[in-house]
Amino acid sequence: MGALDGLRVIEIAGRGPGPFAGMMLADMGAEVVRVDRVPTGERGSIANRYEPVGRGRKSIALDLKRPDAIGVLMRLVDRADVLYEGFRPGVAERLGFGPSVCLARNPSLVYARATGWGQSGPLSQAAGHDIDYVAIAGALDPIGATGGPPIVPLNLIGDYAGGAMLLAFGILCGVIEARSSGAGQVVDAAMVDGASLLMTMFHGRRQAGAWRESRGSNYIDGGAPYYAVYETLDHKYVAVGAIERQFRKELFQRIGYLDAPDPMRHEDWPEVKERLASIFLSRTRDEWTELLEGTDSCFAPVLGLAEVPSHRHVAERSGFVEVDGVEQPAPAPRFSRTPGSVSSAPPAAGEHTLEILTSCGFDQEEVATLLDLGIVSQPSGLNRRQA
């Protein structure tokens, strides 16, 4: 029984932060019902089981462009604690399930909205993706090598850290408050806000004169020789993060860097980095790992995705689980009494349509009508009477 056992969440299916937030909530025991679109017959190139961010849910397929489908959704809203969606501002209202409608139906509902630009502002109606929100938030410009362009940090900062985790945090804040006040509210979780929030420390340091605007010239942006990535003899890489003096001393002693120039002098950083690069090129990644991993050198090998599950630290902590034959990161964080777990593999669109309709009080005749009219759907292999 996870820490969120008993929490009922409706996820309006989408991309980016929504699926990841749903995974986090489901991993911790929440009952997450994903409202998928009625399939059109076209299938994506990746099978459901290879989309682990969809794990742990039940799925109902609804054609939300039809009023009768909104009626079905309202039956779900009646028994939910949370509904979240990721449409552009105004779309849910036009479809008939905006916050005012849902909160009138269920006054204690937390209605969360995940968007790139937020519910207001001159860009709120513009299309965008992670890279755009991260760029506006000032989180893209500092990442990259000196003299080079910004480097795209996957979609980790906007979609996931600044989007999904902000969304999940906002949802749980709303739920806690609603349980004391009895009143729900709307959560505006914008990726541009979340990405900007992640940069809070750097805004302070810039204004204090302790952060250089030029890329790759600061102590934790790859500029400092003691906080950098180095290539090894076998053309792999290692990462060192020996910021503190005692950790630098141990690192340098172990690798044989014992003389000047001083790594703390900013003007000497290029020369120190060049000398360290030469040292790390003298051995393979695994040889450096054997020498340095687990010491106070602040060292780690740079692992590829396929290598992560078998790393001794990750394996010892059971950091990966296998679901439907697919290896994937285990739920986190860890709890001593109510641990998270993966309750099921990612569902097909509409896989639990009958079960969900039955739980909301629809009888067999109503279900049959909804299916016949195409208002709801289920995978073709499921029996209509299966619940």
Side-chain angles (χ1 to χ4, degrees), residues 38 54 64 71 105 141 147 156 159 176 185 263 300 320 332 341 348 384:
V38 171
L64 292 176
R105 185 95 181 199
D141 184 69
L156 299 177
D159 278 350
I176 291 170
Q185 60 182 306
F320 276 69
S341 64
R384 285 189 174 209

Side-chain angles (χ1 to χ4, degrees), residues 30 37 60 86 122 125 140 162 164 212 214-215 217 229-230 243 350 353 362 373 378 380:
R37 295 182 180 183
I60 180 172
Q125 291 295 328
L140 180 60
R212 295 174 173 83
S214 55
R215 203 171 296 116
S217 61
V229 172
Y230 292 98
I243 297 175
T353 293
F362 288 88
L373 294 176
Q378 62 178 348
S380 58

Side-chain angles (χ1 to χ4, degrees), residues 131-330:
I131 192 171
D132 307 306
Y133 316 133
V134 170
I136 291 293
L140 180 60
D141 184 69
I143 302 174
T146 304
I151 293 176
V152 179
L154 303 179
N155 64 331
L156 299 177
I157 297 176
D159 278 350
Y160 298 141
M165 291 189 176
L166 187 76
L167 173 62
F169 176 68
I171 285 171
L172 295 181
C173 287
V175 168
I176 291 170
E177 196 283 332
R179 288 182 174 177
S180 62
S181 69
Q185 60 182 306
V186 179
V187 179
D188 178 359
M191 285 177 265
V192 68
D193 294 344
S196 182
L197 196 63
L198 292 170
M199 299 300 292
T200 300
M201 181 187 82
F202 303 100
H203 282 289
R205 289 182 177 260
R206 180 188 64 79
Q207 292 169 83
W211 185 263
R212 295 174 173 83
E213 296 274 11
S214 55
R215 203 171 296 116
S217 61
N218 295 281
Y219 75 110
I220 56 171
D221 65 357
Y226 49 79
Y227 198 92
V229 172
Y230 292 98
E231 187 177 2
T232 58
L233 180 62
D234 53 347
H235 304 298
K236 296 181 180 180
Y237 293 88
V238 295
V240 294
I243 297 175
E244 293 82 1
R245 182 177 299 276
Q246 69 271 27
F247 301 150
R248 287 197 305 276
K249 181 179 178 181
E250 176 153 352
L251 173 67
F252 292 165
Q253 284 179 340
R254 287 179 178 272
I255 68 174
Y257 181 89
L258 303 176
D259 54 0
D262 183 356
M264 290 304 294
R265 284 168 47 90
H266 188 272
E267 56 267 36
D268 290 336
W269 280 4
E271 182 179 350
V272 177
K273 184 174 283 189
E274 184 177 339
R275 296 182 67 177
L276 290 176
S278 178
I279 291 172
F280 280 110
L281 277 171
S282 67
R283 302 189 190 191
T284 67
R285 185 194 68 178
D286 291 347
E287 287 172 338
W288 285 120
T289 299
E290 184 177 356
L291 176 67
L292 298 173
E293 190 176 60
T295 73
D296 279 355
S297 300
C298 297
F299 165 94
V302 177
L303 301 180
L305 289 176
E307 297 177 289
V308 175
S310 60
H311 184 275
R312 63 191 181 102
H313 185 80
V314 176
E316 174 67 24
R317 287 176 55 80
S318 301
F320 276 69
V321 294
E322 186 173 304
V323 182
D324 196 16
V326 177
E327 205 168 35
Q328 55 199 268

Side-chain angles (χ1 to χ4, degrees), residues 35-92:
V35 178
D36 283 305
R37 295 182 180 183
V38 171
T40 60
E42 298 179 3
R43 296 189 62 182
S45 58
I46 300 179
N48 286 325
R49 69 193 187 102
Y50 293 112
E51 297 280 8
V53 293
R55 68 196 188 193
R57 274 82 136 189
K58 293 181 178 179
S59 169
I60 180 172
L62 290 177
D63 183 356
L64 292 176
K65 293 182 179 180
R66 302 175 65 173
D68 286 344
I70 301 303
V72 174
L73 179 61
M74 289 303 105
R75 298 273 285 270
L76 272 67
V77 167
D78 287 343
R79 59 192 296 271
D81 300 299
V82 177
L83 179 148
Y84 71 86
E85 48 91 357
F87 296 118
R88 294 192 207 193
V91 171

